[in-house]
Amino acid sequence: MAYSSENPIVQLKKCLTLVQDVSSHAEANRAFEQLCGIIDAENPMAAQLLEMLWEEAIMARRSALFWQQMSDVEKDMANRMMENMTQMRQNYLRLMQEM
């Protein structure tokens, strides 16, 4: 992928778009490394700051994905508990009718 002819802001936006999906993090990292190479040539301190922010963005995205998955698991468990509770209530009512 050749990003060097693009505006650094456009490149950064592409990197941030790629980082949204965990499966494309490797591609996002490659694109970001190319961007940092360009920025490092002009301003090494800005490149270091950008790298720090990038690492934080990746960690935040992975953390958000983890907590989303945990939320989905909790939701599934709550739904199953409600289904079980409904089934138990119906069984109880049938038992009471048989008595």
Side-chain angles (χ1 to χ4, degrees), residues 67-80:
W67 289 111
Q68 180 62 48
Q69 289 172 340
M70 289 296 289
S71 175
D72 292 345
V73 167
E74 287 178 347
K75 180 182 173 189
D76 290 343
M77 286 176 56
N79 288 341
R80 275 189 261 133

Side-chain angles (χ1 to χ4, degrees), residues 36-51:
C36 274
I38 294 167
I39 293 174
D40 191 38
E42 295 175 15
N43 189 339
M45 187 173 286
Q48 284 181 324
L49 292 171
L50 193 58
E51 286 176 11

